[in-house]
Amino acid sequence: MVPQEIVTLLQVFLFPGFLFLFCLAFFSDWMDRKLVAKFQNRYGPLYTGPKGILQPVADFFKLLAKEDIIPIAADKTVFSVVPMLVLALSMTPLFLIPMIDYSALIWFEGDLIVIMFITTLVIVAMFMGAWASTNRFSTIGGMRVGLQMLGYEIPMTIAMIGPAISSKSLSVSGIVQSQAVGIWYVITQPLGFAVALICLLAHLQRVPFDVPEAESEIVAGWLVEFSGKKLALLKLSKNFELVLAGSLLVSLFLGGPLGFWLPHPSVYFFLKLIVCIFILSNLRALFARFRIDQVLEGAWKYLTPLALLQIILVVI
Amino acid sequence: MATRIPFGPQHPALKEPINFMCEVSDEKVLSVRPRLGYIHRGVEKLAENRTYNQNLYLIERICGICAFAHVTCFSQAVEEILNIEIPSRAKYIRTILAEMERIQNHFLWLGDVGHEMGFNTLFMYSWRDRELVLQLIENISGKRVNYAMNTIGGVRRDITSMIMPSLKEGLNHLEERAKYYTEMCTKDPTVLRRTVGVGMLSPSDALELCAVGPTIRASGIPRDVRADDPYAAYEEIPFKVITYDGRDVASRLMVRLDEVLESISIIRYALDNLPNGDVRVRVPRRVPKGEAVSLVEAPRGEDLHYVRADGTEKPVRVKVRAPTLANIPTLCKMLIGENIADIPVVIAGIDPCIACAERLVFVDTATRKRWMWNKQELRKYATKWYRKK
Amino acid sequence: MKFTKGRLLEKAKEISTPRARRMSMTINKTDFRKSMKKLVDSEGFKHLSTITGIDVGPKIELIYHLTRENLVLSLKVKTSKKNPVLPSIVNLIPGAVLYEREVHDLLGVTFKGNLDLSPLLLPDGWPSDVYPMRKEWAPQDIRKAMEKP
């Protein structure tokens, strides 16, 4: 028998830990790129690996090898810490999500709150990075990151509280387990699902909510001064965010790794994740970018009331 | 507190270098100062040192997108000084190509404005359709851009009956696509939110600042050289001047999309009524003393060429005023009070072509071109290629 | 469009109509400002297409290409090369601002009344006595002048 400690170590580092998450992040990036390309009548990644599946990995290593420039005027400590911070923060919540079993690798009552807290911290870290790089475009981008958060964060939290109330548990694993006996919350709470989806799109800073890094307006927004390995880490953390967004939707609304006839629950989780990424990519290809004032207006006028309405319906 | 934000010369929203120094406070633009001159090539000065025939090729290279408009304008001016009338078949062919150029330019612009709004899907789609127009142009002239169709005294190639069916088929497809885009742009909520009420330009401002082309027509003023000062075959072809009263980017979008449809009907009419005869007349190398002003409605607006000749092989002065330069004062006016987020959309709204606007002065005699072959090798290759054919 | 030549401008010389919808005339520098005002205000030439500057030996000739619905008018005015000063028409036609700056850059004509004649087309640090579109500057000389500093 293998000692329990080694099993845990293997779980943390290989499956479903770091290695698996890295693979998942790269895979979801590839799928997203490929899907958007298909919607836009293009090919997308094509040459690296079969159907270009290794392209995100290649891009990551290419960026790692590139020159790393730190602007003279930048606050060097903060500027260097931010990419690592963002990566760590976007990766941590993934350990709290049940992927291969009904309960996650680490779980405790209240981990949903922790996830929400960490997603906000990521935004704060981004703002710090933008501020530290002292570029006019990053400053505007950083401001927009903060402003956008003020818009979507509250409806997102409210929408996520819905499943928690229904299952009487503040832990993601608890919510998944309660869906195992009941029905998926996407059926009872369609409004909450929609609001969460839109808010996560805004959190991911993707079209139509890519205001903070609007390429044609403010170059790359808050990312503009990051280069080389810092940029590689930031891009990777964006992929983790995408996985996180998909997994949150899967666990909170789509029943997590639940299923009947497939050999392993993780396969289920995986399929559902693909569906979620499909929806997120689809939305990205369909719209033009909103303006920051339009984002805030929409969030407060429509998303928040809708999310509240869902909560009221749940409580009743 | 006002911050100064440079918009360009290097900026991903601008495909060409131009600089707008915007003073910004709380995401609102307070004032704008344009600065040009980053890609001056000295075309006007060069033109004084070239013969008329050489100038045709030089003028064609002022701009890759509205190349045909510039050459038509230049040849018209020279033809006027020479006092010759070109054959009417040549006039019709010029009209057809000018309208095709308008279609390809407007599709290109549609994609560009989509990209500025962050709507990359529109960009991909409309540029793919633009490819079809380019293929049609290639069918006629043998080249996709810088067609080298015009010459002083007519056009260099004929539209044969062989390629007629493929042209008409292509036009049908383009019409379908243009209608699809019109419907999409009037209905898509995100496109509407980014364009309606953005970059307002009142008719009085447009008149005062001498705006031209779709920019002024979207403010409700029917200024169109094709109707006001008909050239080529426009006198004989019926068409509407498209105007919209919205004064904003959305109207500019609609003006251009409707113009595509109008262009298609002009081309159809011209193809059906193509007169028989020669496509060019021989002209002398020396141009007699004289001067001429020639106007052409380029895809982006009024294009003016002024040529003065003194009886030699080379012109004394060639003045080019491309439509973009005329629209820059209006652009600065439109930007004031706008959101930073709207700057790219508004700038794209006038369809700026910086290479057109700047073509003076800077003479770079050092050629940095790298050829795979030298002239003889190229000629050898060409003869071999033709023999094989 | 029918009109008598005299009615458009009394003091104009060398009036010609080379073809339909085209007209050109020359005006003295002293009458320039007044004539321009008359053309814009009472004759309806609101649109200025551009200003062409030509070096004609001892003088610099400026051609104002004005249009109204069916007529393109070329109004010519000459100024000396030594001291090329003309009144600005920016307050009559605001759209002329860039054209005047362009002519100022390339031929060194100063427009009195145009408040901003900073370089528009030429790069910063361009030698102040080099006016590229003047005939005495051959292309190779311009290059030399540029490379001097």
Side-chain angles (χ1 to χ4, degrees):
Chain A
M1 213 36 211
V2 191
Q4 188 57 38
E5 286 78 20
I6 292 182
V7 172
T8 316
L9 267 182
L10 282 179
Q11 277 183 338
V12 168
F13 284 105
L14 295 180
F15 186 82
F18 287 107
L19 189 68
F20 176 66
L21 289 179
F22 271 101
C23 293
L24 202 58
F26 285 131
F27 173 77
S28 58
D29 185 34
W30 169 79
M31 212 180 93
D32 175 54
R33 281 165 71 174
K34 202 78 183 165
L35 279 173
V36 173
K38 280 272 177 280
F39 293 137
Q40 295 183 341
N41 221 340
R42 297 185 281 123
Y43 286 113
L46 206 60
Y47 297 111
T48 323
K51 302 255 176 204
I53 197 164
L54 292 177
Q55 191 63 49
V57 189
D59 286 353
F60 179 70
F61 283 110
K62 182 200 75 180
L63 271 179
L64 280 184
K66 290 239 165 173
E67 188 189 357
D68 186 8
I69 302 162
I70 300 177
I72 295 172
D75 183 338
K76 286 177 191 62
T77 331
V78 183
F79 190 76
S80 320
V81 166
V82 159
M84 286 179 264
L85 199 61
V86 171
L87 181 66
L89 285 174
S90 57
M91 214 164 150
T92 318
L94 284 168
F95 284 93
L96 301 173
I97 293 197
M99 289 189 186
I100 54 162
D101 208 345
Y102 293 162
S103 56
L105 209 57
I106 312 155
W107 76 278
F108 49 89
E109 201 55 44
D111 59 11
L112 183 63
I113 305 280
V114 173
I115 291 178
M116 288 171 187
F117 179 64
I118 290 176
T119 49
T120 312
L121 269 187
V122 174
I123 300 293
V124 175
M126 284 174 182
F127 179 78
M128 272 162 54
W131 195 256
S133 47
T134 59
N135 178 305
R136 295 176 232 216
F137 295 115
S138 346
T139 312
I140 293 178
M143 291 298 181
R144 287 180 174 187
V145 170
L147 272 175
Q148 184 152 309
M149 185 192 75
L150 292 182
Y152 73 80
E153 224 219 341
I154 293 186
M156 181 163 85
T157 313
I158 300 173
M160 285 182 187
I161 290 294
I165 294 176
S166 298
S167 61
K168 301 199 171 46
S169 162
L170 264 178
S171 130
V172 181
S173 305
I175 292 171
V176 168
Q177 281 153 18
S178 86
Q179 286 180 85
V181 288
I183 51 169
W184 294 359
Y185 291 134
V186 68
I187 299 164
T188 51
Q189 306 181 13
L191 268 181
F193 179 72
V195 171
L197 186 72
I198 295 171
C199 292
L200 282 170
L201 209 58
H203 176 70
L204 291 174
Q205 300 173 358
R206 289 153 72 91
V207 180
F209 303 107
D210 63 336
V211 196
E213 52 186 77
E215 182 243 6
S216 51
E217 291 160 22
I218 46 171
V219 193
W222 67 275
L223 276 169
V224 83
E225 287 291 359
F226 292 96
S227 56
K229 45 184 183 292
K230 296 196 177 66
L231 187 63
L233 295 186
L234 286 171
K235 293 263 176 205
L236 183 64
S237 57
K238 289 223 154 225
N239 300 343
F240 279 122
E241 294 275 330
L242 178 62
V243 176
L244 177 66
S247 344
L248 270 179
L249 286 174
V250 170
S251 335
L252 296 182
F253 294 97
L254 296 172
L258 281 180
F260 307 98
W261 41 268
L262 279 174
H264 199 271
S266 65
V267 181
Y268 256 100
F269 183 84
F270 206 58
L271 287 178
K272 287 174 188 170
L273 188 64
I274 288 177
V275 171
C276 282
I277 293 176
F278 179 81
I279 299 173
L280 289 169
S281 309
N282 203 339
L283 289 175
R284 177 179 151 199
L286 272 181
F287 293 112
R289 183 189 308 123
F290 284 116
R291 269 203 322 255
I292 185 72
D293 53 323
Q294 292 167 343
V295 172
L296 288 178
E297 199 187 311
W300 284 103
K301 260 192 192 164
Y302 304 106
L303 293 182
T304 314
L306 280 177
L308 280 173
L309 179 72
Q310 184 64 68
I311 292 290
I312 293 166
L313 289 176
V314 167
V315 173
I316 292 170
Chain B
M1 187 195 76
T3 354
R4 298 179 89 197
I5 289 200
F7 207 82
Q10 279 97 28
H11 192 283
L14 300 164
K15 308 303 175 265
E16 294 170 278
I18 185 174
N19 171 260
F20 293 97
M21 189 55 90
C22 302
E23 248 182 71
V24 177
S25 170
D26 296 339
E27 291 238 343
K28 289 265 182 244
V29 180
L30 299 178
S31 72
V32 186
R33 270 175 57 94
R35 179 79 162 85
L36 288 84
Y38 295 95
I39 40 171
H40 271 232
R41 290 153 293 162
V43 170
E44 284 182 13
K45 188 78 181 177
L46 279 175
E48 292 173 8
N49 298 294
R50 299 266 185 293
T51 66
Y52 288 94
N53 245 330
Q54 288 173 327
N55 272 334
L56 277 177
Y57 298 95
L58 179 65
I59 300 279
E60 183 134 38
R61 275 148 190 81
I62 285 177
C63 172
I65 305 300
C66 36
F68 193 79
H70 280 297
V71 190
T72 311
C73 205
F74 177 72
S75 0
Q76 275 177 13
V78 179
E79 282 152 14
E80 194 184 320
I81 303 175
L82 281 165
N83 200 15
I84 53 162
E85 182 80 9
I86 66 166
S88 64
R89 190 174 175 90
K91 283 186 179 174
Y92 270 76
I93 293 174
R94 274 187 186 176
T95 311
I96 291 168
L97 271 163
E99 292 307 317
M100 284 201 164
E101 188 177 72
R102 198 179 313 282
I103 298 175
Q104 68 91 359
N105 175 70
H106 285 358
F107 271 153
L108 176 132
W109 175 84
L110 180 68
D112 201 34
V113 92
H115 174 68
E116 308 310 358
M117 293 191 282
F119 197 178
N120 279 333
T121 314
L122 178 63
F123 168 60
M124 301 289 169
Y125 272 64
S126 74
W127 277 48
R128 171 150 291 188
D129 292 330
R130 174 175 174 257
E131 208 59 23
L132 185 78
V133 198
L134 292 183
Q135 274 164 18
L136 294 184
I137 293 173
E138 194 186 5
N139 272 356
I140 299 174
S141 68
K143 271 184 98 183
R144 286 153 46 91
V145 284
N146 291 354
Y147 334 118
M149 270 294 271
N150 260 325
T151 181
I152 298 164
V155 290
R156 287 179 54 236
R157 283 160 190 265
D158 199 359
I159 295 183
T160 56
S161 54
M162 218 167 70
I163 54 172
M164 282 282 203
S166 71
L167 284 183
K168 284 181 177 165
E169 203 180 304
L171 287 178
N172 288 341
H173 181 76
L174 284 174
E175 188 176 20
E176 200 183 292
R177 296 305 293 170
K179 280 184 178 154
Y180 169 74
Y181 291 128
T182 315
E183 198 191 315
M184 194 212 74
C185 290
T186 41
K187 286 195 180 137
D188 188 284
T190 44
V191 172
L192 289 178
R193 293 207 95 178
R194 289 306 301 273
T195 54
V196 173
V198 170
M200 299 295 271
L201 178 69
S202 71
S204 59
D205 278 344
L207 277 175
E208 243 179 24
L209 294 169
C210 305
V212 294
T215 309
I216 196 168
R217 289 199 285 277
S219 290
I221 295 163
R223 180 181 286 165
D224 190 329
V225 179
R226 290 177 291 171
D228 300 341
D229 182 31
Y231 55 94
Y234 287 107
E235 222 156 359
E236 299 156 33
I237 298 175
F239 70 98
K240 288 198 298 275
V241 176
I242 312 280
T243 56
Y244 272 82
D245 292 329
R247 308 169 182 188
D248 50 8
V249 177
S251 299
R252 279 162 222 150
L253 197 70
M254 292 316 296
V255 165
R256 289 197 170 89
L257 282 168
D258 282 5
E259 274 186 11
V260 169
L261 291 173
E262 202 57 41
S263 293
I264 290 171
S265 82
I266 293 176
I267 298 173
R268 281 211 183 109
Y269 182 92
L271 283 176
D272 290 339
N273 297 289
L274 200 60
N276 291 322
D278 284 340
V279 291
R280 64 183 292 191
V281 288
R282 285 241 157 251
V283 292
R285 272 163 64 83
R286 285 167 200 276
V287 177
K289 204 163 183 272
E291 58 179 1
V293 180
S294 165
L295 293 173
V296 155
E297 183 74 16
R300 297 175 164 95
E302 174 199 280
D303 182 18
L304 181 139
H305 282 225
Y306 170 84
V307 180
R308 178 177 282 190
D310 62 349
T312 58
E313 289 172 356
K314 295 174 184 172
V316 178
R317 179 80 164 95
V318 177
K319 166 80 190 173
V320 181
R321 203 296 316 271
T324 303
L325 188 65
N327 277 335
I328 285 178
T330 37
L331 178 63
C332 296
K333 179 95 191 169
M334 285 181 226
L335 283 174
I336 291 171
E338 289 296 334
N339 237 306
I340 297 181
D342 287 331
I343 297 177
V345 180
V346 175
I347 291 184
I350 69 154
D351 194 359
C353 175
I354 315 303
C356 275
E358 308 180 8
R359 72 268 134 212
L360 307 157
V361 178
F362 230 80
V363 182
D364 196 343
T365 39
T367 43
R368 295 225 185 84
K369 276 186 244 159
R370 238 190 274 158
W371 284 102
M372 298 268 287
W373 297 297
N374 64 27
K375 218 174 175 182
Q376 280 84 19
E377 279 171 321
L378 188 70
R379 195 172 290 153
K380 234 187 269 170
Y381 172 80
T383 38
K384 218 163 74 189
W385 191 82
Y386 272 108
R387 237 174 246 150
K388 245 192 277 172
K389 217 175 147 189
Chain C
M1 176 132 309
K2 292 217 156 106
F3 48 82
T4 51
K5 287 169 185 171
R7 246 180 59 210
L8 203 58
L9 275 184
E10 281 93 20
K11 295 203 172 134
K13 296 172 293 185
E14 298 169 26
I15 301 167
S16 68
T17 44
R19 71 171 177 90
R21 302 186 298 268
R22 291 284 187 281
M23 191 180 203
S24 87
M25 55 177 70
T26 311
I27 194 97
N28 272 340
K29 195 176 151 186
T30 42
D31 305 324
F32 170 69
R33 169 89 205 169
K34 238 197 211 149
S35 321
M36 204 67 182
K37 196 167 166 54
K38 182 164 183 269
L39 286 175
V40 175
D41 289 348
S42 36
E43 298 292 338
F45 286 99
K46 298 271 187 215
H47 182 72
L48 177 74
S49 281
T50 191
I51 306 171
T52 304
I54 309 175
D55 179 0
V56 284
K59 294 205 161 190
I60 289 173
E61 182 178 327
L62 293 184
I63 310 178
Y64 287 73
H65 300 281
L66 295 154
T67 50
R68 69 180 186 202
E69 52 283 10
N70 284 320
L71 183 66
V72 182
L73 173 71
S74 303
L75 186 74
K76 296 175 187 170
V77 58
K78 280 183 187 153
T79 174
S80 72
K81 210 179 208 174
K82 282 226 177 85
N83 182 25
V85 183
L86 265 182
S88 167
I89 56 159
V90 169
N91 46 2
L92 291 173
I93 304 175
V97 61
L98 289 187
Y99 305 137
E100 286 189 354
R101 279 174 73 180
E102 187 187 327
V103 174
H104 176 77
D105 271 17
L106 304 181
L107 284 146
V109 180
T110 308
F111 292 92
K112 247 195 197 146
N114 191 335
L115 296 175
D116 179 16
L117 284 173
S118 57
L120 172 74
L121 302 170
L122 297 181
D124 296 327
W126 182 267
S128 61
D129 54 341
V130 180
Y131 299 111
M133 284 310 281
R134 290 192 181 179
K135 290 288 183 197
E136 66 253 33
W137 287 98
Q140 55 274 22
D141 296 342
I142 298 176
R143 195 170 169 75
K144 261 180 228 149
M146 271 168 58
E147 281 167 352
K148 211 182 277 170

